[in-house]
Amino acid sequence: MPNPQSKMKLLLATLVLLAITSVACSSDSGPKPATEPNSAVGNYETCTGFISFDSIADLTGVEGLFERVSVTDVAAVPELAESGAIDSCLVEIFQSVDESDNPVPGESLTLFLVRFENSELAQEQYNSTLASALIGKEQLGELAVLQQDVVGTNSYLMDVSASGIGALVVFAFNSTFVSISSTADDESNALFDGHNLVNAAQSVQSRLP
């Protein structure tokens, strides 16, 4: 049987490509202790305010988390600029990092946002990732759970019961495309399970400008 982790990486290639290019061409705030934002509305210029850390502590029972924010220069990333994106943010919440300064699987949450010129472009990006997720569900069978409309319309949860994968919630809201994920470790432990990840995604949606 093909490796489920390899399949998922291929099937969600569009989303992963956007995330990687964002990290490569962004200003990184560096890790800092996660603190509750001053505003209940997110800010695309600073990529802050999209996550309530008090709610994360309530959902996971974990405190002492760190935050790393990356603000993308969209004009410097052809894949984003050509897609009609005007803002892009990557927010990582984690307990610790590995020797490569990456959040340790099983101990982290990753939030990826792209604001487009209009809602139609955000919908196109959502439709693309949903199509990949539907193929993934069909090929992975019982290893994967796919549930739609988890954060209103135009949203889905993909939860894969395999080491190194975890859960992913994707949704489009107005002109913003959002992905929030919690990667599992080799023993399938993750900071967020699928249910709690949906709750976190609902909180993010409520903070979108």
Side-chain angles (χ1 to χ4, degrees):
M1 178 179 178
N3 186 315
Q5 185 173 2
S6 297
K7 278 191 175 183
M8 285 302 296
K9 288 181 179 179
L10 290 173
L11 292 167
L12 299 179
T14 301
L15 179 60
V16 172
L17 174 61
L18 284 172
I20 291 174
T21 53
S22 282
V23 175
C25 301
S26 60
S27 62
D28 191 336
S29 68
K32 62 181 181 180
T35 57
E36 190 67 8
N38 294 325
S39 173
V41 178
N43 184 319
Y44 287 103
E45 291 185 1
T46 61
C47 292
T48 58
F50 291 104
I51 292 181
S52 166
F53 300 107
D54 286 346
S55 67
I56 288 180
D58 290 341
L59 289 170
T60 65
V62 177
E63 297 182 354
L65 294 169
F66 291 89
E67 173 191 25
R68 181 162 57 195
V69 174
S70 299
V71 182
T72 303
D73 179 3
V74 171
V77 186
E79 292 85 352
L80 288 175
E82 294 170 7
S83 71
I86 55 177
D87 296 292
S88 180
C89 297
L90 185 68
V91 181
E92 298 169 292
I93 309 298
F94 51 88
Q95 291 177 271
S96 59
V97 295
D98 60 20
E99 62 276 4
S100 299
D101 201 33
N102 295 315
V104 174
E107 301 180 356
S108 62
L109 175 76
T110 301
L111 172 65
F112 178 55
L113 306 97
V114 181
R115 182 166 62 164
F116 290 91
E117 295 172 354
N118 54 58
S119 58
E120 289 77 13
L121 293 173
Q123 184 68 47
E124 286 179 12
Q125 181 61 43
Y126 170 78
N127 290 342
S128 175
T129 61
L130 175 60
S132 295
L134 290 170
I135 294 173
K137 171 66 178 83
E138 181 179 350
Q139 296 187 353
L140 293 172
E142 295 182 356
L143 285 175
V145 173
L146 178 64
Q147 182 180 354
Q148 297 188 53
D149 300 333
V150 293
V151 190
T153 56
N154 300 322
S155 66
Y156 68 85
L157 162 70
M158 186 77 167
D159 198 349
V160 181
S161 300
S163 62
I165 301 180
L168 169 77
V169 173
V170 175
F171 65 90
F173 184 76
N174 294 332
S175 61
T176 301
F177 170 85
V178 179
S179 163
I180 183 168
S181 60
S182 186
T183 305
D185 61 18
D186 291 339
E187 297 180 354
S188 297
N189 299 312
L191 184 62
F192 280 78
D193 59 20
H195 175 73
N196 283 341
L197 195 64
V198 169
N199 289 335
Q202 291 172 336
S203 177
V204 171
Q205 185 189 67
S206 72
R207 290 172 169 269
L208 294 178

